[in-house]
Amino acid sequence: MTTEIDTYLIPGSYASVGEQLQVMIEVAGALKEFDSKNWPHLKNKEDYASIFTLPDRLSHPLDNLYCVGRQFAGDLADDLLAFRYIDEAPTLSRYVERIEARLSNHLPNLKSTLAEAEAAIHELESHTFAVSEMARVLKLQIELARVAQDNCAVLKRCPKYLVEQGKLRPGEEPRRFWDRPIAIALAATLLAGLLAFLNTIFEKNYSQEELAPEATQTEREVPASVP
């Protein structure tokens, strides 16, 4: 399905991380769809209104499911698309920080909201399609949030991010682990230990081979016992 969000262009300043930002655009597109269509459509279902006839201990977590779920969908979608606006995400570092702050502040609450709603749904005497479907949508949003979280980790390893953080000079490529002095020293230590171990094994086997002929000669010199 093609949506308006698919036409968003990645600014030239973010071209080096275009692949990662394309993932963010796709996640934002799904969240926008939930915010503008799924959540309001489910709220307008007749059986959703029936939750307000329930005791507060059941109606509150079910109503909270809608409020928290829809709000998060719209807010995270806006965060994921913030790279388009220089006043909202002037650097890749600010962009990543904004998303990670949203996730760290709201993802735990999202999970507890879902757990409380599912417990309330389990107590309902009759099946309520609207809230059951809302719980399903919120689960999908949590999965999408994790995709964005993992993608932030990838962005933090990109040269552009590392340059902004002062961990890399412009034009320099990030060093792999085995390019670092500590890794080279570690590899050298492990290799030396392995060689020493192999040398010990070799000397032990060699000594046993030298002793074997002497033992054979001694056996030949021992006179046979008289029956």
Side-chain angles (χ1 to χ4, degrees):
M1 179 176 56
T2 302
T3 63
E4 179 185 352
I5 206 167
D6 294 326
T7 63
Y8 289 158
L9 297 177
I10 297 173
S13 58
Y14 286 97
S16 62
V17 290
E19 184 177 345
Q20 289 74 34
L21 292 185
Q22 187 57 46
V23 173
M24 298 302 205
I25 290 174
E26 292 172 7
V27 172
L31 292 171
K32 286 282 188 184
E33 193 82 4
F34 290 149
D35 179 34
S36 63
K37 295 184 179 180
N38 296 67
W39 287 110
H41 171 72
L42 293 170
K43 185 183 181 183
N44 290 326
K45 287 282 186 182
E46 290 182 7
D47 61 351
Y48 180 77
S50 67
I51 70 170
F52 297 106
T53 64
L54 300 170
D56 286 347
R57 67 182 183 81
L58 296 177
S59 63
H60 177 70
L62 296 178
D63 186 43
N64 199 40
L65 176 65
Y66 167 79
C67 296
V68 172
R70 185 176 186 184
Q71 184 70 44
F72 180 79
D75 289 345
L76 182 57
D78 289 341
D79 289 339
L80 297 177
L81 297 174
F83 65 84
R84 300 176 300 151
Y85 307 107
I86 194 169
D87 58 326
E88 294 185 12
T91 63
L92 181 61
S93 299
R94 288 282 296 277
Y95 173 71
V96 170
E97 288 168 6
R98 174 173 174 157
I99 296 169
E100 288 188 328
R102 173 79 59 190
L103 295 177
S104 62
N105 291 335
H106 296 280
L107 200 51
N109 181 48
L110 223 63
K111 294 176 181 177
S112 62
T113 297
L114 176 62
E116 291 169 5
E118 288 181 327
I121 291 171
H122 185 70
E123 286 192 48
L124 297 179
E125 294 182 357
S126 58
H127 176 73
T128 305
F129 171 79
V131 292
S132 296
E133 189 65 11
M134 284 181 179
R136 186 187 72 84
V137 171
L138 188 55
K139 283 181 183 177
L140 292 174
Q141 289 184 188
I142 291 174
E143 291 179 12
L144 290 172
R146 288 180 178 141
V147 171
Q149 195 171 46
D150 292 342
N151 209 35
C152 281
V154 175
L155 286 169
K156 292 170 78 170
R157 296 194 297 269
C158 292
K160 179 177 175 61
Y161 182 91
L162 296 174
V163 168
E164 291 176 0
Q165 294 290 310
K167 298 178 180 179
L168 197 68
R169 290 191 296 271
E172 183 181 7
E173 287 295 323
R175 285 194 298 178
R176 297 167 299 178
F177 176 75
W178 291 110
D179 293 334
R180 300 175 184 176
I182 188 173
I184 295 173
L186 176 61
T189 302
L190 291 174
L191 180 59
L194 177 60
L195 291 175
F197 174 75
L198 292 175
N199 188 55
T200 302
I201 297 298
F202 175 77
E203 289 180 350
K204 182 178 179 181
N205 290 338
Y206 183 73
S207 298
Q208 290 176 343
E209 289 175 359
E210 284 187 327
L211 290 173
E214 295 180 4
T216 303
Q217 183 65 28
T218 303
E219 290 173 359
R220 289 174 183 171
E221 295 174 355
V222 174
S225 58
V226 179

